[in-house]
Structures are given as C-alpha cells and as structure tokens.
C-alpha cells in the first residue's frame, strides 16, 4: 500500500522513470542520441535541439502510446508483481479507476514485459506467423468420412491455432486453447 501512495504523485513517477531510463542523469534523444536537450516543463517532455523531435520518459517502453499517466502504470505494475495469482482486469479497473478494456490492455502489456524481463517495446522488424497444429491432414479426413472435401476452409475442429512473434532477441509464442 505504501507503493500506491508513493506513486500517486505524477512528479515522483516522472523522476523515478528518469532515474531508470537515464541512470547517469544525462538525458539523451532516443532518435539521434544527442544530449543537446531542452525541457518543455508545461508538458513534462523534452525536445532535442539537434533533430527537433519531442519525446517523453515513456518513449521506447511499454508505457509509450498510452494516454494514462505513469502514476496509474506504476501502481498496475506493482499490483501485478505483488499478487501471487496475478490480477484480473476487473480488479485493475476498480483499483485504478479506468475502463475494464484499458485495464485488460495494461495487464497484457505488463505480463508480456514480465515474461520477457524487459520493459522496452518491440521495435525494428517484427516477424509474425500463424499455423494450425494437430489433427489429421486433408487426405486422411477424406478417406475416413468419404466426403468429397474435408469441410469449409479453416473449419478443422481438431487443430489448435498457434501464433508466434519474433523481434530482435525476444520470441513470444502463444497457443490458443479452445
């Protein structure tokens, strides 16, 4: 509960995120790696004077692209990390005061980051593939049933859909159960 109170202040969250992203205290541009940075205090973001790009402390993390503040994200991460059986999206929804859909999205991003051990976003080239695993092939199904074709395309009840994503050194495999 102490963590929830500590991270309830957005300024504390921003300072904590800065200390994680730039441990030496030197803020650098994520686009061109320049350290010639100017702060835009009214919006808690920085602007690179070399490439003119604006960026925040959320850039290149699972928090990037989210309208939610770091105060809600850090509490959600704390809840996911400290609950033995995990946290449901309904529980996150009630605790953070966000919609259940947003809580579901947050939970999935946090669990993925915990599984890979990295809170950085996938970038560069991301490969994806999907297939169906299991069951008998088309020829066997025709022989056993006597049908002229095994059924509508993609309607194999005895196969499990499987997907795989590969980005840099991180590989994520998902098997969908029926």
């Amino acid at each position: 509960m102490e963590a929830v109170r500590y991270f309830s202040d957005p300024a504390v969250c921003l300072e904590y995120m800065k200390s994680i992203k730039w441990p030496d205290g030197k803020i650098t541009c994520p686009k061109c790696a320049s350290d010639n940075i100017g702060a835009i205090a009214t919006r808690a973001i920085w602007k690179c004077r070399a490439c003119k790009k604006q960026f925040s402390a959320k850039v290149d993390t699972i928090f990037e692209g989210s309208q939610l503040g770091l105060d809600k994200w850090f509490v959600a991460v704390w809840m996911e990390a400290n609950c033995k059986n995990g946290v449901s999206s309904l529980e996150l929804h009630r605790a953070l005061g966000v919609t259940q859909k947003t809580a579901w999205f947050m939970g999935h991003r946090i669990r993925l980051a915990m599984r890979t051990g990295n809170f950085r976003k996938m970038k560069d080239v991301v490969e994806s593939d999907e297939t169906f695993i299991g069951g008998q092939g088309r020829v066997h199904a025709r022989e056993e049933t006597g049908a002229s074709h095994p059924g509508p395309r993609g309607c194999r009840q005895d196969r499990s859909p499987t997907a795989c994503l590969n980005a840099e050194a991180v590989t994520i495999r998902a098997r969908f159960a029926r």
Side-chain angles (χ1 to χ4, degrees):
M1 209 52 179
E2 189 175 320
V4 175
R5 274 188 242 114
Y6 181 74
F7 287 123
S8 63
D9 182 14
V12 170
C13 294
L14 180 63
E15 287 303 315
Y16 185 74
M17 191 69 178
K18 281 173 32 181
S19 71
I20 291 172
K21 277 190 72 75
W22 301 287
D24 59 353
K26 191 108 172 140
I27 299 172
T28 57
C29 175
K31 189 83 170 167
C32 69
S34 171
D35 60 352
N36 191 5
I37 304 295
I40 302 175
T42 57
R43 293 179 45 214
I45 61 173
W46 298 275
K47 183 173 182 177
C48 176
R49 292 186 181 120
C51 69
K52 308 290 187 225
K53 297 289 180 188
Q54 293 182 355
F55 61 95
S56 72
K58 292 186 201 179
V59 72
D60 290 338
T61 66
I62 63 167
F63 314 126
E64 183 180 17
S66 170
Q67 295 295 318
L68 295 173
L70 289 172
D71 53 337
K72 294 198 188 274
W73 275 106
F74 285 167
V75 171
V77 169
W78 179 82
M79 288 176 71
E80 286 282 351
N82 288 306
C83 292
K84 184 172 76 169
N85 296 330
V87 179
S88 71
S89 60
L90 285 171
E91 193 173 344
L92 275 177
H93 146 73
R94 286 189 296 266
L96 300 175
V98 297
T99 65
Q100 193 265 333
K101 186 176 180 179
T102 300
W104 182 88
F105 168 78
M106 292 172 75
H108 276 267
R109 273 203 180 174
I110 293 166
R111 281 185 224 108
L112 176 64
M114 288 179 166
R115 199 172 321 125
T116 59
N118 190 350
F119 274 72
R120 296 218 175 262
K121 277 180 89 172
M122 288 186 207
K123 53 194 238 187
D124 298 329
V125 178
V126 177
E127 301 168 4
S128 70
D129 195 13
E130 73 282 336
T131 188
F132 290 88
I133 296 178
Q136 297 176 336
R138 289 177 182 251
V139 176
H140 299 293
R142 260 187 240 143
E143 289 172 359
E144 287 181 9
T145 61
S148 60
H149 59 84
R153 187 179 196 128
C155 290
R156 296 192 199 16
Q157 303 299 329
D158 55 347
R159 293 187 177 202
S160 299
T162 303
C164 179
L165 293 175
N166 189 8
E168 295 174 6
V170 178
T171 300
I172 301 141
R173 290 186 180 90
R175 188 155 189 174
F176 305 106
R178 292 189 190 255

